[in-house]
Amino acid sequence: MGDTANLLASVFLDTISYWWVIIPTIFLGLIVGGIPGFSAANTIIILMPLTLSMDLQTGLIFMVSLYSAARMGAGIPAILVNIPGTAGAAATPLDGYPMTRQGRGQQALAITFVSSSLGGLLTTVVALATMPILARVGFYMHSVEMIVVMLFGISLIASIAAQDMLKGLIAGFFGLMIGSIGTDVVYATPRGTMGFLELYDGVPLIPALVGLFAVSEAFIIIEKKVILTDEGQAAMANPSWSATFEGVSIALKRWVHIVWTSLIGLIIGVIPGAGASIASFVAYQQSRTFSKTPELYGTGHPEGLIAPESANNGVTSGTLVPLLVLGIPGGATAAIMLVVMQFHGVSFGPSLFERQPEVGYGMFMAMMVSYLLMILTILPLSRYMSRVTTVPTIYLAPMIISFTLVGAFVPREYMFDMFLALAFGVLGYIARRTGYHVAAILIGVILGPLLETYFLRALKKSQGDMSILFSSNIGNVLWVLLVLSLVLPPILKLKRKRRDRRLATLSGDYQ
Amino acid sequence: MVIPVLAIVFTLYFFSTILNSPWTAQVSAFSLGSLLLLFCVIFVAKTVYQLRRGDGTLSFGNIVSRDDLASGRVGLFLATLGFTLLIDYLGFTLTTFLFLLVSMTILARGRGFMRITLVSALMALGGWAVFILAFDTRFPRGWFETTMKAVLANG
Amino acid sequence: MIRNKHMNRRELLTRGVATTGMVMAAPSILRAESYPSQNINVYIPTREGGGADRNFRAFTSVWKEKLGADFEPGFYPGASGRVGYEVFMGKAEPDAYNLIFGNMGPEVLNWAMKEPNFDINDYVYFGRVDTDPGCAFVGSESKFTSIEEIVEEGKKRVLNVGTSRMAHPASIGILALGEKTGAQFNLIPLSGGKNTIAGAVTGEVDFSVLTSGSVIAAGDSVKTVLVFGENRVGEQLNNAPSINDHYDMQLAEMLSSRAFAIHRKAIEDFPERYEILKSTFKETFDDPKLMEAYVAAKGTPEYLNYGGEEECAEFVKAMLELGAKYKPLLTGA
């Protein structure tokens, strides 16, 4: 035990001495994370010659800090201009953007930075301490259990749609249907592809995200001079540091919230194949379910911002666990890390920590140091970043369109994807204009294929027997929790109303 | 009304593509699609009922109106369409510059042209420097990129 | 919808970089009149940064010296390789300056499941780079330790078998074993190599089948129990036996096998160019630098395996026949 502690301490100090790698990488990560189409994974691929030329430790630190910074970077445009940089930040604008429009963009950024960093740091420590146990989660979360987890995420559609349930459901299910485009995951039969081979693998996420959020947003914002509301403009007129401190204190006061939502992210992150988008949807939905003020969600409520951001940074540390303990990469970035590290002769598997403990612990330490340095470097910038919102829309809208459309092109490099983004832009614009929530459509597009994959996998295993859905103990517990999380909030609301009424009558008696 | 109608048309089209497919292709799509159809039908019925009572109106007024022409939204849309069509031929940098220039001019109704030109040029060049020079992504290459590459190659 | 986006860059390279390359590689150029006078475009029907990418770079780093022209990869992932082939057959000029670097195993099996929009006889694999047999493996914590135990259990109950996708040579390997032994195997497609390994490790499926190169890369998190071909790497695949030896079968090797292909029309119109491609391809294998490059790219050197037009044609034929035989099981039709 003492040996491990000594090793950890020395690896930690050693990692800090690489600050000259980490700080530039943080800025690179924030930029690529913020541009839809770029991600940590494809940046590492693009920079592969550079990555491979680094020695093992530098390369490892570079990849890990790029990964964590990109995750945080994706939240910035989500908050400031309503454009999530990656699917993992798709729940961030729900409350982040309303805050920005009210002129509280600086606070929102500070809240995000604090909750992301703390969430990331905390989950890294927890992951490090409980690695052997956490790695077992994947052994219990099979397709059946994952179906329920996906339904937790999808139930968010219903919450978003709270104001007009029918329209919300139509938007969500339309998204789910669009998400079903592509070949079925078992027998590869093409469905609904309109003859485009480019849609065989399903609707690519980035063009859908760019179209629904960015392009349609650009067409909406030109109605006004700036994206801020009138009060927002007034609030932004006198920029000061106090807004940043206010954001930090808002986030720190809600530390309990950061803790439990980041743990949701961690747990979902350690399941191979899950990922940041589902984690942030589930965290947002759970946060709302257990909130005393669910009606504030979607209007610029800090907790609605903390939940997805702590959760998706929790995923970042979570994905390292199966990679290091089992040798299974949990997501795209982890898969690329695996390739690069194999190139350096690191062989993965359960015995990694016996053979090369410095590599295993090194990755966690790199993540920890990255988050520490990130909060120090980025927090002072929120004041300047939030100025973006005061840029007149005549400049902002064309810039958003050109750079996000090109971003739609990046992941697959097909011109088709740019046209697709434009088509989604038109769909998103119509939806916004007629009172449908684009976030509900996007949740459907993101989670639809995942849900179907797990569903078909389970059914193929049981050879078509539906009872498999209720065949596992953990699964059944999750089913019960799902039902409770859907049924309890309305009941509680009713109770609260009654109590309020009773209080009102009581106080009436006194008068 | 537009979204539900789009949803109905799309769902029916989707169903038509899986009629003769194995069960794996059908089970999830049929269940989700049927629910979507159900929601849409309820919505349509509700709207028709409201129309009958004279509470609602049915128009495209929300989506396309005269205002759109005046606010430059139609112009911006056409510019965007032009951007996606031309980028393959003119290359990333030049098309981005032209798009920014044209669309900003439309939105600003011709005011501040010099400033717009400067901003567009800076943004396009910045994009070129980051995406093509530094990252070497495969954005469409055009006249500008080829020339710059030749210039850089020859020192 | 797909257009060739490298057109402009290619034109530039034609004039600039390639000419310098040509001058430097003068001997082979003189012999070959004017071919190649420009870079060779290679269509790769998978994602950038994957196994095909690394394999391609290692191989062409040596081949380009023999040929005297560089190779420009273009990645066209999607629809399990279909997109890349459709673009290659539909848009690329059949002038021997355009090649495709595909995988004769799973990609040819695709054609047996559903024919593409072009005639599959219109392109020809002429240069095989490697042969990587599929294998069956269990997670390190599995209760199974050998293929006998698996077959034994499979006779009592239906076993769920993870595979990267239905139409894969390794899937055919395990179905053939089931046919031979009477064990029952239910294939569960887990979408891709890493999920297939994860499925076996976490117990989502009873065991998995996959291309052995990916299994070797998974290290000691898995244990291989059977190879659908020859085990050329011994210990790295836990000395697992070969299916044909172990069960006295005559199954063709179930390979993932990467190879360069060319339009048939290019062979007919430019036979001399085709000869140059073929001969320089073969020369590449005689150069010890190839092995170095392959090892440096972390390939499995034992799998480097030259094959010409005939060997490729033979393998493609076997894949198409087996694909047709197992089509009902693999497509659910």
Side-chain angles (χ1 to χ4, degrees), chain C residues 253-301:
Chain C
E253 279 205 288
M254 287 295 120
L255 305 171
S256 154
S257 181
R258 298 213 166 88
F260 286 90
I262 188 170
H263 302 95
R264 187 174 292 282
K265 191 160 187 313
I267 300 180
E268 286 161 3
D269 293 354
F270 304 98
E272 68 298 341
R273 294 181 182 180
Y274 182 51
E275 282 309 314
I276 293 166
L277 281 173
K278 279 205 297 189
S279 60
T280 51
F281 180 84
K282 181 140 198 331
E283 279 169 37
T284 308
F285 270 91
D286 301 332
D287 194 330
K289 270 195 249 168
L290 175 63
M291 188 60 89
E292 286 169 29
Y294 208 70
V295 171
K298 303 292 160 191
T300 310

Side-chain angles (χ1 to χ4, degrees), chain A residues 134-278:
Chain A
L134 268 182
R136 306 307 299 179
V137 171
F139 287 73
Y140 299 103
M141 300 297 285
H142 293 156
S143 37
V144 173
E145 292 80 8
M146 287 310 288
I147 294 173
V148 197
V149 174
M150 291 299 144
L151 290 175
F152 267 104
I154 288 174
S155 67
L156 177 56
I157 292 174
S159 323
I160 291 181
Q163 287 148 353
D164 187 339
M165 189 57 93
L166 193 56
K167 280 190 170 182
L169 289 175
I170 291 177
F173 275 79
F174 194 17
L176 288 168
M177 275 314 275
I178 295 174
S180 309
I181 292 178
T183 54
D184 89 80
V185 292
V186 175
Y187 293 125
T189 330
R191 304 166 303 169
T193 58
M194 292 165 260
F196 294 117
L197 268 177
E198 289 93 336
L199 290 176
Y200 268 44
D201 295 335
V203 173
L205 277 189
I206 297 296
L209 183 147
V210 160
L212 287 174
F213 276 89
V215 177
S216 68
E217 180 72 23
F219 282 104
I220 297 281
I221 59 174
I222 57 172
E223 277 166 21
K224 300 196 66 182
K225 261 204 155 111
V226 289
I227 55 177
L228 301 166
T229 56
D230 296 340
E231 305 87 70
Q233 287 184 49
M236 290 295 289
N238 301 308
S240 74
W241 291 109
S242 64
T244 299
F245 292 120
E246 192 193 328
V248 173
S249 106
I250 291 175
L252 290 179
K253 270 187 205 144
R254 290 169 172 77
W255 64 274
V256 181
H257 212 75
I258 297 179
V259 170
W260 73 265
T261 49
S262 66
L263 290 178
I264 290 182
L266 178 67
I267 302 280
I268 292 181
V270 299
I271 304 168
S277 52
I278 175 72

Side-chain angles (χ1 to χ4, degrees), chain B residues 4-154:
Chain B
V5 169
L6 274 177
I8 292 174
V9 170
F10 175 74
T11 308
L12 292 179
Y13 159 73
F14 198 101
F15 283 0
S16 76
T17 62
I18 51 170
L19 281 180
N20 297 313
S21 302
W23 64 270
T24 51
Q26 296 175 332
V27 54
S28 159
F30 273 140
S31 35
L32 292 176
S34 316
L35 278 172
L36 176 59
L37 285 180
L38 177 73
F39 297 141
C40 290
V41 167
I42 296 177
F43 185 84
V44 172
K46 204 174 118 189
T47 315
V48 170
Y49 176 68
Q50 283 175 348
L51 279 179
R52 281 251 181 106
R53 283 195 359 205
D55 287 356
T57 52
L58 203 59
S59 76
F60 283 86
N62 270 340
I63 299 168
V64 190
S65 69
R66 286 188 85 89
D67 279 357
D68 291 339
L69 212 57
S71 67
R73 187 173 285 131
V74 174
L76 182 61
F77 180 74
L78 291 178
T80 310
L81 200 62
F83 176 70
T84 44
L85 291 173
L86 286 177
I87 195 165
D88 213 20
Y89 302 100
L90 298 182
F92 165 76
T93 320
L94 195 59
T95 323
T96 306
F97 170 70
L98 287 177
F99 167 75
L100 291 176
L101 184 70
V102 170
S103 52
M104 287 177 185
T105 311
I106 293 174
L107 293 177
R109 298 189 187 81
R111 270 168 293 167
F113 188 71
M114 282 311 289
R115 190 174 162 175
I116 286 175
T117 315
L118 196 69
V119 170
S120 310
L122 280 178
M123 293 303 293
L125 279 177
W128 169 79
V130 173
F131 297 127
I132 292 180
L133 202 60
F135 275 21
D136 194 28
T137 56
R138 263 173 264 247
F139 282 159
R141 267 32 173 196
W143 166 85
F144 179 82
E145 287 81 6
T146 5
T147 315
M148 284 310 283
K149 186 157 182 175
V151 169
L152 290 176
N154 297 326

Side-chain angles (χ1 to χ4, degrees), chain A residues 143 198 342 351 413-414 460, chain C residues 2 5 77 186 204 217 220:
Chain A
S143 37
E198 289 93 336
Q342 268 166 356
S351 57
E413 306 194 321
Y414 289 148
K460 182 78 171 62
Chain C
I2 299 175
K5 52 188 178 286
N186 177 25
E204 166 92 49
D220 57 3

Side-chain angles (χ1 to χ4, degrees), chain C residues 97-167:
Chain C
Y97 283 107
N98 292 296
L99 303 176
I100 187 162
F101 184 55
N103 190 331
M104 296 191 289
E107 285 156 21
V108 170
L109 264 187
N110 275 343
W111 313 148
M113 302 302 129
K114 187 169 181 290
E115 282 195 14
N117 295 325
F118 53 87
D119 184 341
I120 57 171
N121 294 311
D122 284 351
Y123 78 95
V124 179
Y125 293 102
F126 68 91
R128 181 180 71 195
V129 173
D130 64 356
T131 51
D132 178 348
C135 66
F137 60 95
V138 295
S140 58
E141 298 177 29
S142 166
K143 62 174 180 169
F144 299 118
T145 58
S146 71
I147 190 68
E148 282 80 11
E149 290 173 24
I150 290 177
V151 167
E152 208 47 51
E153 181 86 4
K155 287 175 182 168
K156 291 180 218 149
R157 66 175 174 105
V158 182
L159 293 182
N160 288 324
V161 185
T163 179
S164 61
R165 58 199 174 96
M166 298 299 270

